């Protein structure tokens, strides 16, 4: 347990310090949670919206956090679910945004917050073609190097199912990249 996590747990123990605990959570974990979200929703503005929704949900459910899992795992679980909900609610918008004339790769290359090269943009284009669950599993494993055991806690599924999803996602991404060379 990190020193911040210990301090947060101490603050969560008392109703009078729960606000301070929340402020410390936001300060300590915002950037890490943002990047989890950003790899799923791909767009900076969308990621910021989802991050706000995530921390709103954290605030509303802070009293239910029971320390059965790591705080960061709980935050990731909320962030990932919020990201997937956001994508589902905005499915038509995402489809229109990623039409032929404005692909994910082109959008990323034009995004001032994207610091990758064309190859990374093409990888993200391939990732964007994956179904939601495969995209999430691939993102968590490939970009975040999250262990399957931790993913299993966050996504509430078996490690075997996650490994299968990751394998299928890698195959689809490889095929996509070979097709678009």
């Amino acid at each position: 347990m990190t020193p911040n996590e210990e301090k947060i747990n101490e603050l969560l123990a008392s109703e009078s310090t729960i606000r301070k605990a929340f402020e410390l959570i936001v300060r300590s974990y915002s950037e890490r949670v943002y990047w989890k979200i950003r790899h799923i929703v791909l767009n900076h503005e969308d990621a910021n919206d989802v991050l706000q929704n995530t921390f709103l949900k954290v605030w509303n459910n802070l009293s239910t956090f029971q320390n059965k899992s790591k705080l960061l795992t709980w935050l990731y679980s909320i962030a990932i679910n919020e990201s997937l909900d956001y994508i589902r609610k905005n499915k038509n918008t995402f489809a229109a945004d990623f039409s032929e004339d404005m692909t994910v790769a082109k959008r990323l290359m034009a995004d001032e917050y994207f610091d990758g090269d064309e190859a990374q943009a093409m990888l993200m284009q391939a990732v964007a073609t994956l179904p939601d669950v495969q995209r999430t599993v691939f993102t968590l494993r490939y970009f975040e190097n999250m262990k399957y055991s931790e993913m299993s806690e966050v996504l509430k599924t078996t490690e075997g199912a996650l490994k299968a999803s990751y394998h299928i996602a890698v195959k689809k991404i490889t095929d996509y990249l070979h097709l678009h060379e």
Side-chain angles (χ1 to χ4, degrees):
M1 191 178 297
T2 66
N4 271 356
E5 199 166 350
E6 286 179 23
K7 178 71 173 163
I8 290 166
N9 287 333
E10 287 173 23
L11 293 170
L12 287 173
S14 171
E15 187 98 8
S16 65
T17 56
I18 206 160
R19 184 178 178 91
K20 286 185 181 188
F22 178 71
E23 290 169 359
L24 186 54
I25 289 168
V26 172
R27 272 196 317 271
S28 301
Y29 298 108
S30 284
E31 186 173 349
R32 290 168 77 180
V33 173
Y34 167 85
W35 284 108
K36 286 275 191 255
I37 294 167
R38 175 73 189 265
H39 283 127
I40 297 170
V41 301
L42 303 177
N43 177 287
H44 171 70
E45 288 81 18
D46 294 341
N48 274 337
D49 289 346
V50 174
L51 183 65
Q52 287 178 0
N53 292 342
T54 297
F55 281 116
L56 183 60
K57 189 165 260 183
V58 167
W59 172 252
N60 289 333
N61 293 289
L62 206 48
S63 61
T64 65
F65 178 66
Q66 298 174 353
N67 247 346
K68 290 181 181 175
S69 64
K70 291 181 188 174
L71 178 62
L72 192 56
T73 301
W74 184 67
L75 292 173
Y76 285 165
S77 181
I78 293 170
I80 290 165
N81 286 326
E82 286 297 308
S83 299
L84 294 175
D85 285 349
Y86 186 86
I87 289 171
R88 285 184 204 110
K89 287 177 188 168
N90 296 290
K91 200 76 155 169
N92 293 337
T93 305
F94 273 68
D97 284 350
F98 301 141
S99 63
E100 283 301 312
D101 56 327
M102 194 54 153
T103 64
V104 171
K106 286 180 184 175
R107 276 185 77 178
L108 285 173
M109 293 305 288
D111 185 340
E112 65 183 278
Y113 297 101
F114 181 69
D115 62 356
D117 61 14
E118 197 171 326
Q120 288 170 310
M122 280 306 296
L123 172 62
M124 293 311 295
Q125 174 76 37
V127 170
T129 66
L130 296 172
D132 297 342
V133 173
Q134 288 175 8
R135 180 172 56 239
T136 302
V137 171
F138 180 82
T139 297
L140 294 175
R141 184 74 181 144
Y142 183 81
F143 294 111
E144 309 296 333
N145 203 23
M146 187 181 276
K147 295 177 183 171
Y148 288 112
S149 58
E150 191 176 350
M151 263 194 275
S152 177
E153 269 187 74
V154 168
L155 298 174
K156 310 284 189 260
T157 190
T158 66
E159 289 183 40
L162 293 167
K163 289 176 183 177
S165 288
Y166 182 76
H167 176 75
I168 293 167
V170 168
K171 175 78 171 111
K172 287 180 179 178
I173 289 169
T174 303
D175 291 348
Y176 182 93
L177 292 174
H178 285 306
L179 187 64
H180 294 86
E181 289 183 308

